[in-house]
Amino acid sequence: MVVMINESALESWRRRTEFPLAAAALIFLGAWAWPIIDPHSAQPWREACRFTTWLVWALFAVDYTVSLVLAQQRWRFVKQYWFDLLIIALPLLRPLRALRLIHVVQLLNRRFSVSLRGNVSMYVSVVTALVVFCAAVAVLDAERGAPGANIDSLGDALWWAATTVTTVGYGDYYPVTVSGRLVAMTLFLAGIALLGVVTGTLASWFTERVRETEETATATQDQVAALTAEVRALRQRLEGEQHRRDEGV
Amino acid sequence: MVVMINESALESWRRRTEFPLAAAALIFLGAWAWPIIDPHSAQPWREACRFTTWLVWALFAVDYTVSLVLAQQRWRFVKQYWFDLLIIALPLLRPLRALRLIHVVQLLNRRFSVSLRGNVSMYVSVVTALVVFCAAVAVLDAERGAPGANIDSLGDALWWAATTVTTVGYGDYYPVTVSGRLVAMTLFLAGIALLGVVTGTLASWFTERVRETEETATATQDQVAALTAEVRALRQRLEGEQHRRDEGV
Amino acid sequence: MVVMINESALESWRRRTEFPLAAAALIFLGAWAWPIIDPHSAQPWREACRFTTWLVWALFAVDYTVSLVLAQQRWRFVKQYWFDLLIIALPLLRPLRALRLIHVVQLLNRRFSVSLRGNVSMYVSVVTALVVFCAAVAVLDAERGAPGANIDSLGDALWWAATTVTTVGYGDYYPVTVSGRLVAMTLFLAGIALLGVVTGTLASWFTERVRETEETATATQDQVAALTAEVRALRQRLEGEQHRRDEGV
Amino acid sequence: MVVMINESALESWRRRTEFPLAAAALIFLGAWAWPIIDPHSAQPWREACRFTTWLVWALFAVDYTVSLVLAQQRWRFVKQYWFDLLIIALPLLRPLRALRLIHVVQLLNRRFSVSLRGNVSMYVSVVTALVVFCAAVAVLDAERGAPGANIDSLGDALWWAATTVTTVGYGDYYPVTVSGRLVAMTLFLAGIALLGVVTGTLASWFTERVRETEETATATQDQVAALTAEVRALRQRLEGEQHRRDEGV
């Protein structure tokens, strides 16, 4: 939509790193989810996964630092991309470890652009599936082994995430740890957003359908302006004609 | 809405098979649901029902094959009707047996056309009732006899489906098997769609009511175009008159 | 909104009975709810309540019969007011006794007219409160004393109705009888309608606010039609003037 | 939006007390919540908190009294601000003590003004967070120590409030006292309003986006009125010209 001729160094950097970072986020997702889903995998493999997640984290930190250096107004950059900074700082806080998934979602999110209806449903489906999967893995990570927890397999976690995002909430499974509940709350918000987007899209579609059948195209400002110019020219001509006649006779 | 004069062979086939296939889908629904609802029915009757479901399945397969043969662009046909192919392939996958109901819903669905509001509410009521009934039967099929299952009669299954599709989700009944949970997830989506359609219809109705009371009909492009032509003709006449007078005198 | 000069006999009857019937419905509501809410009330009082409900029922039956006699097209009347007939027939069916409350709601409903937003929120509040109260009493009637039932006081029933109509559905209370579940299902529908109306009203309000700030009033058809007539008259005058000049010279 | 030149004494008072009262409401919130969240705090501190809440209550009562005295139409003032009066009277009713939080929310509410979309989401986030926090504290106050209650820490209360306001309603925690259930019902309403606002904003946004891409600016009434005046002047000039010619010859 926007044609950038004089792209700034920051814009150029962000455009060129967008695809590699999304790929890195997908790798992060895999390396993060695997040891949680399969808790009995071999120790070296688990170590490799752990190393990969930290490597990707380092990539994100480097990207943020380079972007900050390239930014012309650094303070404004920090304020505008405060979420990126928060996301990079989060994994260092052990109890909020489960929230790291937000980074993955947000980075993959950057790859999609929201255009109108048709695309919105595709976008909503992909993002919802991604959020549900990440939330299920994060809750499993937080809950498994906790005293009194009832979510202890990926199947149960996915089922819990599905009942939650749709706000059905049977209550056969629910998180009991603080980490798990924080994950659940992000899923609640995703659920409300999901309902809102589905309903909003349908409401907009119905409204448009009704309008289409009811009204034909209305007059544009250009048309009426052209008409007015036409009539003004006619009047000036008539006035000129009269002047000449008054003087000529 | 669309007048087809040179109907293709495929369109003609689909138009003529639409009603018989919907009838076959209803027969399938009955033959599929009966042995699940009444597990103590006689063995020959159960065999007859089972035979009928496979017969209808064969009809669907024949319809798909004939359509594919009649299609001028076969690859495009496969891509456009990938859902039909999936539905025909599904019953062969034993664990997804419960999802066969989607075919029935989708075929009956084809019989209805979505026009505007009045019809939308009728359509939504019929489709919701159908989806709730099919989901109840499918969950009953998947859950009955499973260890730890709490849905084991049609009454409980219907009650569960009603609490689920409205996203109330008391949690007094819930599926515990993988099949049952897959059915539940389709019902979640139906519930979100139901909420969206009801809200969207009402929102569109309110918006329209407000617009009606606020604005009278706006000028159409045709009207203003006619007016402009009128004024242009007037101007040309005046110019012609002046010319004649200039020369005549 | 509609000025009826030649009011038919049926319309006159319905207009004049509207207020007394709504009052009778309120009395019915009280006489029906009292023995359910206070199961230990004295026997004569309970008998009086029971007699009152049947008296009001008789009034409704008389109203329907008189309306049917006054109607010019009887078959059309039966089709148009099939719900009234159903409601009068319902109390005779003992197991559906709990659904009698629908009549009260529908009759009080007739007293309100849906105009636009401001009134809609008042109307929705009143109808929702009425539906929640009636559903609570009806569920209490159906559940109290049933084996395995957990709703056995008006407080619990009202709490259950509130969690249900908002689709929260904790599952701490839920109906277990068929009557109670039928009542619950009508409450589910009321809940979806409630969500739809609230959302729809807000969506319409937001849409209107956005439109107001964006667009000024558009040209009306009347205005443009008046303008066109003006220009046509001008042209005819000019043509007449030229004719006279052509002939006069 | 409104420029008040001759501000009345009441308006001036309300404008000048708005900020101090909101600050007082925040202090009230802290003094009210602290002893509930930390039930083992020292007795003198608890007394100080209790004294502070009554002091703020006295401030509110003084504000209402002064406003009433300054109002020119006192009865109209009482009717318009009945909610303020109710809120001041409520703390005197011991069983409804938990509803005092509404005052805080309403006072902080007065500080925000609802403009369009961007602001709406900020406003909704802040108000929802405030309502959820107040409801959690109020439910904790009502439930802790009650027989059969399952909410007995701030963490559980916040988790319960989050599952409730999003209408997920797992049912792992739920209020059992009358006070707690009244608080829950206000939270249900907040949840429905939240869903409605989110959906309504999105629906309005989608509708606007669709409209923007479809229609160009329509003719305004001013434009067409100007055009009509132009043409009328032209006609009168032509009629005048003809008259002069008729008489001059």
Side-chain angles (χ1 to χ4, degrees), chain C:
Chain C
M1 274 179 158
V2 178
V3 181
M4 282 177 293
I5 296 164
N6 292 313
E7 201 181 33
S8 74
L10 176 60
E11 281 160 348
S12 164
W13 169 262
R14 286 182 74 86
R15 187 176 48 73
R16 273 185 290 163
T17 56
E18 202 178 17
F19 187 75
L21 279 182
L26 271 181
I27 291 167
F28 178 94
L29 182 58
W32 166 74
W34 190 285
I36 298 170
I37 293 170
D38 178 14
H40 305 297
S41 51
Q43 189 61 21
W45 176 242
R46 296 172 66 83
E47 283 300 313
C49 285
R50 207 166 144 265
F51 176 75
T52 308
T53 62
W54 282 106
L55 193 71
V56 174
W57 177 83
L59 276 176
F60 292 156
V62 165
D63 167 62
Y64 184 83
T65 313
V66 172
S67 298
L68 187 58
V69 168
L70 290 175
Q72 285 167 327
Q73 294 161 290
R74 279 184 202 156
W75 186 236
R76 208 180 133 202
F77 179 87
V78 171
K79 280 203 289 182
Q80 196 181 344
Y81 295 100
W82 62 272
F83 197 67
D84 288 36
L85 184 57
L86 185 74
I87 286 280
I88 287 160
L90 269 183
L92 304 177
L93 303 165
R94 181 110 177 82
L96 295 175
R97 205 181 46 170
L99 295 178
R100 251 194 286 182
L101 70 103
I102 296 173
H103 204 177
V104 178
V105 173
Q106 196 237 2
L107 253 166
L108 294 175
N109 204 350
R110 230 212 257 168
R111 290 285 317 156
F112 305 108
S113 70
V114 187
S115 27
L116 280 184
R117 225 124 0 84
N119 302 22
V120 160
S121 43
M122 173 58 86
Y123 173 81
V124 166
S125 307
V126 169
V127 167
T128 304
L130 194 66
V131 167
V132 165
F133 176 74
C134 288
V137 173
V139 150
L140 186 60
D141 188 25
E143 294 285 307
R144 190 154 44 197
N150 47 33
I151 301 172
D152 67 350
S153 75
L154 184 65
D156 289 350
L158 282 170
W159 169 245
W160 164 82
T163 61
T164 297
V165 83
T166 54
T167 80
V168 170
Y170 288 124
D172 49 349
Y173 295 98
Y174 46 83
V176 296
T177 62
V178 171
S179 284
R181 286 180 177 174
L182 287 176
V183 172
M185 283 178 198
T186 62
L187 204 53
F188 293 167
L189 297 183
I192 284 185
L194 174 66
L195 274 174
V197 169
V198 169
T199 306
T201 310
L202 285 167
S204 136
W205 184 75
F206 283 129
T207 306
E208 194 193 2
R209 283 287 297 272
V210 171
R211 261 216 344 270
E212 266 168 20
T213 59
E214 269 180 4
E215 84 189 12
T216 52
T218 54
T220 63
Q221 289 186 322
D222 286 352
Q223 275 188 303
V224 175
L227 170 60
T228 308
E230 183 92 26
V231 174
R232 185 169 291 123
L234 163 69
R235 187 190 192 173
Q236 283 162 353
R237 176 169 295 271
L238 282 169
E239 285 175 353
E241 180 188 12
Q242 195 185 352
H243 264 146
R244 248 177 300 133
R245 229 182 289 153
D246 289 353
E247 290 164 3
V249 175

Side-chain angles (χ1 to χ4, degrees), chain B residues 51-109:
Chain B
F51 176 75
T52 307
T53 62
W54 282 106
L55 193 71
V56 173
W57 177 83
L59 276 177
F60 292 156
V62 165
D63 168 61
Y64 185 83
T65 313
V66 171
S67 298
L68 186 59
V69 168
L70 290 175
Q72 285 168 325
Q73 295 162 290
R74 278 184 202 154
W75 186 237
R76 207 181 132 201
F77 179 86
V78 171
K79 280 203 288 183
Q80 196 182 343
Y81 294 101
W82 61 272
F83 197 68
D84 287 36
L85 183 57
L86 185 75
I87 287 277
I88 286 159
L90 269 183
L92 304 177
L93 304 165
R94 182 108 176 83
L96 294 174
R97 206 181 43 170
L99 295 179
R100 251 194 286 181
L101 70 102
I102 296 173
H103 204 175
V104 179
V105 173
Q106 196 235 3
L107 253 165
L108 294 174
N109 204 349

Side-chain angles (χ1 to χ4, degrees), chain D residues 174-192:
Chain D
Y174 46 83
V176 297
T177 63
V178 171
S179 284
R181 285 179 179 176
L182 287 177
V183 172
M185 283 178 197
T186 63
L187 204 53
F188 293 167
L189 297 184
I192 284 186

